[in-house]
Amino acid sequence: MNGYGGKILRINLTTGQISKEPTPTHIAEKFLGGRGFGIYFLYTEVPRGADPLGPENKIIASPGPLSGTLAPGAGKMDFTTKSPLTGGYASASVGGHLTAELKYAGYDSIIIEGISPKPVYLYINDDEVELRDASDLWGKGSITVETELKKRLGEEFQIATIGPAGENLVKYACITHDFGRQAGRGGVGAVMGAKKLKAIAVHGTRDIPVADPQALLRLGTEAIKACKASEAFEVWVRYGTSGVTVWSNEVGAFPVRNFQAGALEDYSGLSGETMRQRIVITDKGCFGCPSPCGKYSYSKKYSIYVEGPEYETTALIGGDCVLTDIEDVAYANWLCDELGIDSISVGNVIAFAIECFEKGILTKEETEGLELRWGDPQVVFTLLEKIARREGIGDLLAEGVKHASQKLGENSEEFAIHVKGMEMSGYECHNAPAMLLSYMTCDVGAHHNRSWAITYDLQVGRDLVTDDKVDRVIYLQHVRPLFDCLGACRLQWVELSIDLGLYPPILKAITGIDRSWEDLMKISERVWNLTRMYWVREVEGFGREWDYPPPRFYKEPVTYGPTKGKRMEWDDIQRLLDTYYQKRGWDKNGIPTPEKLAELGLAEIVRIGV
Amino acid sequence: MAVYLHADSSKCSGCKACLVACSLAKFGVNNPKKARLAIIPKFPAPGIFEVKTCTNCGTCAEVCPVDAVKINEKGAYYIDPNECIACMACVKECPEQVIFTHPDYPVPFECDLCGACVEVCGPGVLWIE
């Protein structure tokens, strides 16, 4: 099958059994790959009601048909599982070189099942697949383990690993790869930890079968040249995602003090320019990326090498916790990487804890004498360590803001910033209805990457609550996540504005199958609806209320920044949801109708997978 | 002075697009493990990508016992697969370690200055002169 490795690798950690199956052609046609494969296998193989940290849950790691090829940014891999953080669907993508290496080894998915009786790592060297003892690696940090495994196995091996947070089942633990890339969201690292799987090491030497190699060379080169010719290319490569920081502050989209404010009073210490001047030592690209957003840095203050900080970390650990020195954020970033924690979730968690302390909901007794204050880097560093090791207050905070607020009570649920149990990414949206709707309806919780609609709010008028904003959100929710099915990065389109029309011919050169964007959008809509049905299946009473935003966004106005005094109206939130459901072909409770499921060819899968 | 593929390693972001383009151009397959240049990441410290390219120094031709290393129209040394006896002397003696092997091919291979890699390099690391 052109464009695919050709095999699914199945690992049962309980029994140690390893098997290989041919990649089902009809599934590749219907779901493409990446997170499309992820939700298909999750829905059809993980039984309803499975404990996310129990043996029945599975991790499905999948490249896509563009992964490892000459398509621009062909370095994205998806990890799908049932989320221990939300209890619903989790899909976390990671860049770097893992996805390409897995394709070169001949695999389109690794399905990891069961629980190992002892710590192991998965060794894949083309056909040679083994579970190897990882007892001596257990307890060690992610960067340390990656370094050690490369030393043992060779530089050519690509490593994905968890840190102590994953081992200790921190609900938002991540998987780390390539010295600072993360499959960050939804607690995929905790699922690996529960399975006693410390790492995955992959090396492959095979060709990816391609329908028309000369066309791929020509079309891939053309697309890469389009990236280089983009007006935004130079600035984007210089600053990566940190180029957004100043813009975000200036438009009031920067989360500050647990999303109470939309800008920092003085953000110069966090700007992309400051970062580039003070700490960046090189650009670091994922596989096949002509426009590397990765910035590799060295902090003299802390004597650490770290990838980043990228924007989200700067927003949630910088802005939201009010750390204003890029080197403090860089060190916190390094701790997140080494400990294996999602920096978006943990930034929210720490900001929530500081606000609880400020309001007297958390006391010095509960924090073992630590005074939780805004802008204190030592507070952030200490809490990161405590959370990763579940020490003291860290045990509660390791559960995420939803659970922590439910346990703490005293109205703290009003300022627990999450949707569906997932902490919010770094865009303040009291006054950005399209972006807020993106968070509300995102398929994993309050995550930005499916629909980054805040620029549309700014473009058409951020106060407006209009149907076209709903249209825009749905359009983005189909285009952007499609790249996670294809196994490539969306940022060449988003940030460099290269023509989407460049992709279908590349996909055809690789797979031999002629697909239009309309065909691809239908696949993406299929994936979106199946993920929605996963929530419906797994979460009792799932429906409209699960799409509600945190009360802070409609009850409390912004306290500082250009949007000061603004907040969403409750009626507008309801109106956005009504329109969104109607346009998606869902009922008023946000459940896909039987007609919609039949139209997308999902009726049978949904019927069987119960 | 020999024409060769130059590389400014300080600009490399390690994406390997050059390696894929090389494999497509020279072997008609998508496989960077069959490329004729190399990127060596040095992480977590000091955090650099070292790019290794053929400098057209001619050592391969000097050590070849059967004169299978020839010069093409661009002035680049190349290994003629019809004459190579796979003794690997060139691989061993190459000062830059940029003569490569792969299990799919019986003989080693090296850069022949086709330029496919230069075309796809985003940060402008590579050039031929």
Side-chain angles (χ1 to χ4, degrees):
Chain A
M1 192 167 39
N2 284 319
Y4 292 85
K7 294 189 291 290
I8 306 288
L9 180 61
R10 191 177 291 275
I11 312 292
N12 187 315
L13 292 165
T14 305
T15 63
Q17 190 180 0
I18 294 166
S19 58
K20 295 163 192 170
E21 306 154 13
T23 302
T25 309
H26 67 288
I27 301 306
E29 284 168 1
K30 242 180 154 171
F31 292 94
L32 273 179
R35 74 189 210 100
F37 279 18
I39 185 58
Y40 174 79
F41 290 119
L42 182 73
Y43 202 97
T44 56
E45 293 196 7
V46 175
R48 177 202 284 258
D51 174 358
L53 299 176
E56 289 180 329
N57 195 13
K58 301 186 183 188
I59 301 169
I60 302 118
S62 312
L66 297 187
S67 297
T69 71
L70 198 61
K76 281 283 186 173
M77 172 143 151
D78 175 88
F79 285 88
T80 290
T81 194
K82 182 172 183 179
S83 169
L85 180 66
T86 68
Y89 166 69
S91 147
S93 80
V94 65
H97 296 259
L98 190 67
T99 192
E101 206 68 30
L102 199 58
K103 287 276 288 283
Y104 301 135
Y107 304 104
D108 297 309
S109 282
I110 313 172
I111 301 177
I112 300 160
E113 313 172 341
I115 289 181
S116 171
K118 62 175 185 181
V120 290
Y121 75 89
L122 176 61
Y123 170 90
I124 302 169
N125 189 6
D126 285 331
D127 286 336
E128 196 186 350
V129 182
E130 295 170 10
L131 288 170
R132 293 186 172 181
D133 186 16
S135 302
D136 62 330
L137 302 173
W138 203 250
K140 291 185 176 170
S142 296
I143 304 295
T144 305
V145 169
E146 185 166 4
T147 309
E148 175 61 27
L149 283 178
K150 282 198 172 242
K151 200 166 127 192
R152 287 184 199 177
L153 306 173
E155 183 58 50
E156 288 277 278
F157 275 78
Q158 296 298 331
I159 316 291
T161 183
I162 59 167
E167 296 173 12
N168 294 323
L169 312 181
V170 174
K171 296 286 174 63
Y172 43 88
C174 66
I175 298 169
T176 301
H177 159 60
D178 198 21
F179 302 106
R181 297 270 167 186
Q182 290 83 20
R185 310 234 63 197
V188 289
V191 180
M192 256 178 85
K195 294 187 176 307
K196 293 277 192 294
L197 180 63
K198 182 67 179 175
I200 301 169
V202 190
H203 175 234
T205 61
R206 296 206 169 92
D207 306 341
I208 296 172
V210 167
D212 187 343
Q214 289 315 309
L216 175 59
L217 179 59
R218 179 171 50 80
L219 295 164
T221 302
E222 192 181 307
I224 287 169
K225 282 185 173 175
C227 295
K228 289 162 71 174
S230 162
E231 273 184 38
F233 179 78
E234 202 174 314
V235 172
W236 172 252
V237 172
R238 183 156 181 77
Y239 300 115
T241 60
S242 75
V244 175
T245 308
V246 168
W247 167 85
S248 190
N249 261 288
E250 289 177 349
V251 302
F254 202 56
V256 174
R257 294 183 178 82
N258 202 25
F259 285 82
Q260 293 180 79
L264 267 181
E265 291 82 351
D266 179 7
Y267 50 83
S268 59
L270 298 179
S271 73
E273 287 83 354
T274 301
M275 181 172 146
R276 187 87 203 183
Q277 283 163 11
R278 280 184 56 190
I279 61 173
V280 172
I281 54 175
T282 194
D283 301 323
K284 188 160 171 277
C286 298
F287 187 91
C289 176
S291 46
C293 65
K295 304 297 148 213
Y296 199 69
S297 303
Y298 175 72
S299 164
K300 196 174 173 187
K301 185 172 174 181
Y302 294 100
S303 298
I304 46 105
Y305 289 88
V306 63
E307 177 158 341
E310 54 90 48
Y311 171 77
E312 291 296 331
T313 306
T314 303
L316 275 320
I317 288 181
D320 217 27
C321 299
V322 202
L323 300 196
T324 55
D325 181 335
I326 196 69
E327 293 204 54
D328 295 339
V329 178
Y331 183 63
N333 194 153
W334 181 82
L335 280 174
C336 287
D337 292 350
E338 182 73 343
L339 297 167
I341 302 180
D342 171 25
S343 62
I344 298 177
S345 277
V346 85
N348 273 277
V349 165
I350 293 173
F352 169 79
I354 295 171
E355 189 170 348
C356 282
F357 192 88
E358 203 175 40
K359 289 183 159 74
I361 299 168
L362 276 175
T363 63
K364 269 174 91 168
E365 197 174 286
E366 286 157 307
T367 61
E368 296 167 306
L370 188 67
E371 281 192 40
L372 307 190
R373 292 182 300 252
W374 302 114
D376 184 341
Q378 289 308 322
V379 165
V380 173
F381 305 156
T382 305
L383 286 180
L384 279 168
E385 297 274 8
K386 282 179 177 288
I387 289 166
R389 303 186 200 286
R390 284 187 174 269
E391 290 168 0
I393 190 66
D395 191 39
L396 175 69
L397 299 179
E399 296 293 305
V401 294
K402 180 182 178 185
H403 180 87
S405 67
Q406 286 170 343
K407 190 148 186 201
L408 289 169
E410 299 190 53
N411 232 23
S412 62
E413 284 168 277
E414 298 277 309
F415 57 87
I417 308 300
H418 71 90
V419 178
K420 299 180 179 66
M422 177 182 275
E423 293 79 12
M424 190 173 278
S425 309
Y427 298 95
E428 205 299 297
C429 48
H430 274 77
N431 187 224
M435 192 65 221
L436 191 63
L437 182 65
S438 301
Y439 282 134
M440 289 158 62
T441 57
C442 175
D443 58 1
V444 294
H447 191 40
H448 66 290
N449 85 333
R450 308 299 202 246
S451 165
W452 192 57
I454 194 159
T455 49
Y456 193 70
D457 282 311
L458 290 164
Q459 184 188 329
V460 301
R462 56 197 303 172
D463 283 320
L464 297 176
V465 180
T466 49
D467 286 4
D468 64 300
K469 288 199 174 182
V470 178
D471 290 332
R472 183 67 185 172
V473 169
I474 293 173
Y475 171 74
L476 291 172
Q477 285 178 342
H478 287 169
V479 180
R480 292 171 62 108
L482 180 65
F483 283 92
D484 294 330
C485 298
L486 290 165
C489 183
R490 67 192 172 277
L491 291 179
Q492 284 74 30
W493 167 61
V494 176
E495 302 293 349
L496 305 181
S497 305
I498 70 165
D499 186 355
L500 278 178
L502 290 164
Y503 289 93
I506 294 176
L507 186 61
K508 185 185 176 190
I510 293 167
T511 63
I513 301 169
D514 201 358
R515 291 184 177 99
S516 65
W517 260 102
E518 288 69 32
D519 300 332
L520 295 171
M521 293 285 263
K522 191 53 88 179
I523 292 171
S524 196
E525 187 181 7
R526 180 177 298 132
V527 171
W528 195 266
N529 277 263
L530 191 56
T531 60
R532 187 76 176 183
M533 288 310 296
Y534 187 74
W535 283 97
V536 173
R537 194 185 81 174
E538 293 303 316
V539 176
E540 199 181 336
F542 182 83
R544 189 181 187 97
E545 288 182 16
W546 285 74
D547 289 336
Y548 288 165
R552 170 151 285 165
F553 290 94
Y554 53 86
K555 288 189 174 175
E556 297 175 33
V558 177
T559 59
Y560 178 81
T563 61
K564 184 179 175 182
K566 297 285 187 181
R567 66 173 171 82
M568 285 291 293
E569 295 296 329
W570 180 245
D571 287 349
D572 285 335
I573 288 168
Q574 297 294 348
R575 184 179 147 202
L576 283 169
L577 281 180
D578 282 336
T579 311
Y580 180 89
Y581 295 158
Q582 184 263 324
K583 285 177 181 287
R584 276 214 168 272
W586 297 354
D587 69 16
K588 285 187 177 300
N589 195 32
I591 313 294
T593 59
E595 294 76 23
K596 175 53 76 175
L597 295 174
E599 176 201 316
L600 295 169
L602 289 173
E604 187 70 358
I605 292 171
V606 169
R607 188 182 67 75
I608 293 168
V610 292
Chain B
M1 197 172 160
V3 170
Y4 70 97
L5 180 64
H6 296 257
D8 180 352
S9 290
S10 69
K11 290 183 179 175
C12 180
S13 67
C15 85
K16 301 180 185 170
C18 54
L19 308 187
V20 184
C22 181
S23 70
L24 283 165
K26 300 318 300 176
F27 291 112
V29 298
N30 189 108
N31 188 346
K33 308 299 166 73
K34 294 178 178 173
R36 301 168 183 219
L37 69 166
I39 297 171
I40 302 166
K42 300 198 168 173
F43 288 84
I48 55 165
F49 296 96
E50 188 184 356
V51 185
K52 303 286 279 183
T53 60
C54 173
T55 59
N56 225 8
C57 70
T59 302
C60 48
E62 284 170 23
V63 301
C64 180
V66 293
D67 293 332
V69 181
K70 299 173 179 172
I71 295 177
N72 70 12
E73 72 284 355
K74 291 181 179 173
Y77 291 97
Y78 73 99
I79 299 166
D80 185 338
N82 299 316
E83 296 185 22
C84 176
I85 58 169
C87 72
M88 303 296 163
C90 57
V91 177
K92 197 176 159 192
E93 295 300 325
C94 174
E96 299 296 326
Q97 296 181 297
V98 287
I99 300 182
F100 300 90
T101 60
H102 189 279
D104 287 355
Y105 298 103
V107 298
F109 40 89
E110 64 178 307
C111 174
D112 65 359
L113 294 180
C114 81
C117 54
V118 178
E119 295 278 294
V120 299
C121 181
V125 176
L126 302 166
W127 72 99
I128 294 170
E129 66 179 21

